[in-house]
Amino acid sequence: MKAFLFQCAILLCLAQLQAIHCFVAPRAEEIDVSRTDQASDLPDLYEASVLELQEGLDAGHFTSVDLIKAYFARIEEVNLKGPALRAIIETNPSALKQAAALDAERAVSGKRSLLHGIPVILKDNIATVATEGMNTTAGSFALLGSIVPDDAGVVKKLREAGAIILGKANLSEFAEFRGNLPSGWSGRGGQTTNAYFPNADPCGSSSGSGVSTSIGLAAVSLGSETDGSITCPTSNNNLAGVKPTVGLTSRAGVIPISEHQDTVGPMCRSISDAAIVLSIIAGKDPNDNFTLAQPDEVPDYTKALNSQALVGKRIGVPRKVFLNDSITGNDPTINVAFEQALRVLEELGATIVDPADLPSAEEIARSNNETVVLDTDFKIQINAWLEDLIVVPTGVQSLADLIAFDNAHPSLEEPINFTSQSEFIASEATKGFTDAYFQSLAFDKELGSTRGIDAALDTFELDALVLPAQGFTTVPAAIAGYPIVTVPLGFYPNNVTIGSAGPETIYPAPGVPFGLSFLGTAFSEFELIGFAFAYETKTKTRLARRAFPAAIPKTQLKDIVGN
Ligand SMILES: *[C@@H]1O[C@H](CO)[C@@H](O)[C@H](O)[C@H]1NC(C)=O
Ligand SMILES: *[C@@H]1O[C@H](CO)[C@@H](O)[C@H](O)[C@H]1NC(C)=O
Ligand SMILES: *[C@@H]1O[C@H](CO)[C@@H](O)[C@H](O)[C@H]1NC(C)=O
Ligand SMILES: *[C@@H]1O[C@H](CO)[C@@H](O)[C@H](O)[C@H]1NC(C)=O
Ligand SMILES: *[C@@H]1O[C@H](CO)[C@@H](O)[C@H](O)[C@H]1NC(C)=O
Ligand SMILES: *[C@@H]1O[C@H](CO)[C@@H](O)[C@H](O)[C@H]1NC(C)=O
Ligand SMILES: CC(=O)N[C@H]1CO[C@H](CO)[C@@H](O)[C@@H]1O
């Protein structure tokens, strides 16, 4: 039972969904609209957008070296000290040197892109070359000191664009695929916690990416999603996030769960920032052949940022299963906010088609096909990952070795009240590409797309579907490989009844955010970003509430510039 109490253990809660608890009703919310005053014209790093940072860099108000120093100081204030959010596992020892070079280049030849000199946090399952000084471990001591063959495909694109990797974010270890781990816990990083209430669940598995971006420990971050791992921490941390279509962004050099579902995407404080990052990391990569199926031209997603994007659009509400509280476990607060959001979408010119059910909804809720596919894929792909490593100081060479390593090092690799690494063990027991595997893969495509998302879009002539980010929302998109774009929807009220999420975390809790998700067919990111932008621009929900005071870093550019 314990695992099911983890609010967003997300992966594979399919059969167990009935067991998720409904939380006690909250009501009114108190909105704190006070913002810190900025005496100078330097942007407040808590909220600063990529465009504001570029403006300041271009105008010479500060440099990328200043930015790195400021973000490092902010990490230092809250990561292990103070509220000890444990959002960051490692910082980049080469970042200052890289920033100086990029500052010099900007002075001579201008910026390469909107990410030139901008600090980016990466989830610790995204590879960076060891010579730069950081590990790539998915949070596990088993991979500490391992040498990856190359930068991840998305990291190559970030570096070409002039971005600076500021550090690696904590995560649910192995992207939540070990079994029975609390959201946001890893052996190396410990328990990440939410910045909106002490010890609240940050959700996973891209927990550190979410928390660090939510309070400005970096400009932007990348997470990865197999089922829910960008969407849920985006939701819990008051962010805008894009879970791209599988094959829009390269997974080369990303510690895998499944090539059929894994995808890398931006987690940012605004959909505008997310559009900037996605435009840079999207595109074909010869090292990930799924990316070769995408349209030839990578869209400029910033062109989708149109506040009129919802005018004349048909947006469907797939109520069956996905808005059934006894299946989603969603708190009534979320439902109330969601119904209000539907009215806002109407005000923005959309026609709400309600209900617009997925024909496969109930079958998806019963299906175990996703588990069959992920368990089988993980063993094959993690073994290939381990084989490709140049050096592995722990000697771990296979999934079986990983299981043995964890068993041999309980003090490093077992959180409080750990029960078993059930997912690893189930995966190790799979027998490769069996007939049952191919059947499950075909069923997933059918349930997620042909009798799922695409069926609803076609039947009701929709431009997109909309749902609360929390609940069962991510599953059809996960098994179809389809995109989800999420923006802030609301916050739990101050008097919400606090629940338990894990041995060290609570959920729900006062002021913890939740999001609104737009879903569509393959490669519909451009449209979904437009819809999310229109909603975000109208509601500005992110700005309605801030993190708890101790979790708000005090260092600002004014403390760095000129000192
Ligand atoms: C929370 O506060 C609201 C309004 O102040 C009230 O109506 C509601 O009953 C309270 N809820 C709980 C769980 O105490
Ligand atoms: C990895 O982490 C270890 C321990 O924190 C550190 O000594 C090492 O420099 C890091 N970087 C690499 C590339 O191993
Ligand atoms: C990608 O390449 C592998 C072999 O390297 C092959 O097995 C697989 O079918 C290819 N997948 C796609 C989507 O082309
Ligand atoms: C909600 O789900 C429960 C449990 O599966 C089911 O018994 C109930 O009929 C569903 N409610 C609706 C309105 O579909
Ligand atoms: C896969 O989905 C199909 C269609 O709903 C279902 O009949 C089958 O039982 C599912 N298989 C598993 C392993 O859950
Ligand atoms: C660990 O489990 C025991 C027994 O179920 C329980 O009494 C204890 O409160 C748990 N500790 C934490 C920190 O959850
Ligand atoms: C950057 C940073 O603060 N990293 C820390 C993450 O947590 C581990 C475990 O407590 C520390 O060893 C790291 O220094």
Side-chain angles (χ1 to χ4, degrees):
M1 275 304 291
K2 188 169 67 75
F4 309 144
L5 296 176
F6 299 152
Q7 174 235 347
C8 291
I10 280 290
L11 277 172
L12 309 179
C13 40
L14 309 180
Q16 302 95 324
L17 275 160
Q18 326 289 32
I20 292 180
H21 284 217
C22 274
F23 301 108
V24 179
R27 263 135 287 227
E29 66 187 53
E30 277 172 33
I31 292 194
D32 172 11
V33 289
S34 66
R35 317 281 317 284
T36 43
D37 283 329
Q38 284 299 293
S40 65
D41 54 1
L42 300 173
D44 178 355
L45 294 180
Y46 184 90
E47 205 56 58
S49 70
V50 169
L51 289 181
E52 281 176 290
L53 295 177
Q54 282 302 350
E55 239 173 67
L57 289 165
D58 280 340
H61 293 153
F62 51 87
T63 62
S64 290
V65 167
D66 294 329
L67 266 184
I68 300 288
K69 287 181 180 167
Y71 284 130
F72 277 172
R74 291 169 71 84
I75 292 169
E76 176 75 17
E77 282 182 65
V78 297
N79 200 48
L80 299 182
K81 296 182 191 154
L85 302 175
R86 297 189 175 279
I88 305 290
I89 281 195
E90 281 182 33
T91 52
N92 181 0
S94 305
L96 280 169
K97 202 177 73 201
Q98 293 169 3
L102 287 158
D103 283 335
E105 183 186 316
R106 180 190 295 268
V108 173
S109 50
K111 58 181 177 291
R112 295 184 205 173
S113 83
L114 287 177
L115 289 187
H116 186 117
I118 299 293
V120 180
I121 288 284
L122 304 176
K123 187 176 183 179
D124 187 44
N125 61 354
I126 301 175
T128 50
V129 287
T131 48
E132 186 181 32
M134 287 186 291
N135 291 275
T136 303
T137 69
S140 171
F141 280 105
L143 295 181
L144 185 59
S146 66
I147 308 278
V148 294
D150 204 351
D151 276 333
V154 291
V155 172
K156 289 180 187 171
K157 288 189 192 290
L158 285 172
R159 292 198 208 276
E160 279 160 22
I164 303 163
I165 309 306
L166 185 73
K168 294 288 184 79
N170 201 1
L171 70 170
S172 314
E173 191 173 299
F174 281 102
E176 201 106 39
F177 206 74
R178 257 183 72 194
N180 286 315
L181 291 185
S183 255
W185 186 91
S186 75
R188 287 190 63 216
Q191 179 66 58
T192 312
T193 57
N194 197 301
Y196 283 82
F197 194 81
N199 302 315
D201 186 355
C203 202
S205 62
S206 308
S207 317
S209 306
V211 172
S212 57
T213 307
S214 77
I215 51 173
L217 302 186
V220 296
S221 66
L222 295 191
S224 69
E225 174 153 335
T226 305
D227 188 340
S229 285
I230 289 174
T231 305
C232 190
T234 291
S235 173
N236 275 38
N237 296 292
N238 204 12
L239 297 177
V242 180
K243 177 247 173 178
T245 306
V246 171
L248 180 66
T249 53
S250 171
R251 290 86 44 82
V254 179
I255 299 179
I257 293 177
S258 163
E259 64 176 359
H260 295 101
Q261 293 189 200
D262 297 348
T263 183
V264 177
M267 297 169 68
C268 301
R269 289 181 293 274
S270 68
I271 204 74
S272 307
D273 282 357
I276 291 170
V277 175
L278 185 62
S279 300
I280 282 166
I281 63 170
K284 297 182 184 183
D285 178 354
N287 297 321
D288 175 0
N289 58 5
F290 278 61
T291 63
L292 306 181
Q294 69 181 276
D296 282 335
E297 195 99 337
V298 176
D300 176 352
Y301 294 102
T302 65
K303 296 217 163 81
L305 304 172
N306 169 11
S307 60
Q308 302 300 305
L310 280 160
V311 174
K313 301 300 178 186
R314 290 170 58 83
I315 308 293
V317 183
R319 282 201 187 264
K320 192 192 281 180
V321 169
F322 303 101
L323 283 165
N324 180 332
D325 294 347
S326 70
I327 295 177
T328 64
N330 275 351
D331 188 289
T333 306
I334 291 180
N335 298 335
V336 169
F338 177 71
E339 299 302 329
Q340 285 166 357
L342 295 180
R343 304 291 80 82
V344 173
L345 298 177
E346 279 176 340
E347 284 167 33
L348 288 166
T351 300
I352 300 298
V353 181
D354 185 0
D357 291 329
L358 308 194
S360 61
E362 281 158 338
E363 284 173 75
I364 292 178
R366 279 196 303 269
S367 164
N368 206 32
N369 288 297
E370 184 182 17
T371 309
V372 172
V373 170
L374 298 189
D375 284 353
T376 305
D377 281 352
F378 180 70
K379 180 178 179 180
I380 290 162
Q381 291 193 244
I382 196 70
N383 282 340
W385 175 272
L386 295 168
E387 197 170 302
D388 283 351
L389 291 173
I390 315 274
V391 174
V392 190
T394 59
V396 163
Q397 289 180 346
S398 65
L399 176 54
D401 290 348
L402 273 178
I403 294 170
F405 178 91
D406 293 341
N407 288 337
H409 301 90
S411 65
L412 296 179
E413 285 297 337
E414 294 189 0
I416 300 167
N417 279 356
F418 179 75
T419 47
S420 84
Q421 34 190 354
S422 51
E423 220 53 71
F424 269 12
I425 292 166
S427 179
E428 177 59 20
T430 59
K431 302 268 185 285
F433 296 138
T434 60
D435 288 351
Y437 166 84
F438 286 112
Q439 266 169 21
S440 283
L441 200 54
F443 274 129
D444 273 352
K445 188 168 168 47
E446 187 185 321
L447 295 174
S449 32
T450 40
R451 287 199 291 121
I453 292 170
D454 286 336
L457 294 175
D458 291 348
T459 305
F460 301 100
E461 299 180 319
L462 304 174
D463 295 288
L465 298 167
V466 68
L467 280 170
Q470 300 288 14
F472 201 51
T473 296
T474 58
V475 180
I479 61 179
Y482 284 0
I484 307 176
V485 176
T486 301
V487 284
L489 170 61
F491 306 85
Y492 285 101
N494 289 341
N495 65 351
V496 68
T497 302
I498 291 176
S500 167
E504 299 177 83
T505 49
I506 56 175
Y507 185 91
V512 171
F514 48 83
L516 181 71
S517 289
F518 293 89
L519 290 81
T521 193
F523 304 112
S524 62
E525 285 83 357
F526 191 91
E527 289 72 29
L528 300 181
I529 284 171
F531 304 153
F533 177 78
Y535 179 82
E536 178 197 56
T537 303
K538 171 88 176 166
T539 54
K540 296 188 166 52
T541 303
R542 172 171 164 87
L543 303 181
R545 190 142 185 160
R546 284 164 69 90
F548 63 93
I552 299 177
K554 292 177 186 59
T555 305
Q556 291 288 357
L557 281 164
K558 69 173 163 42
D559 305 310
I560 307 289
V561 177
N563 289 346

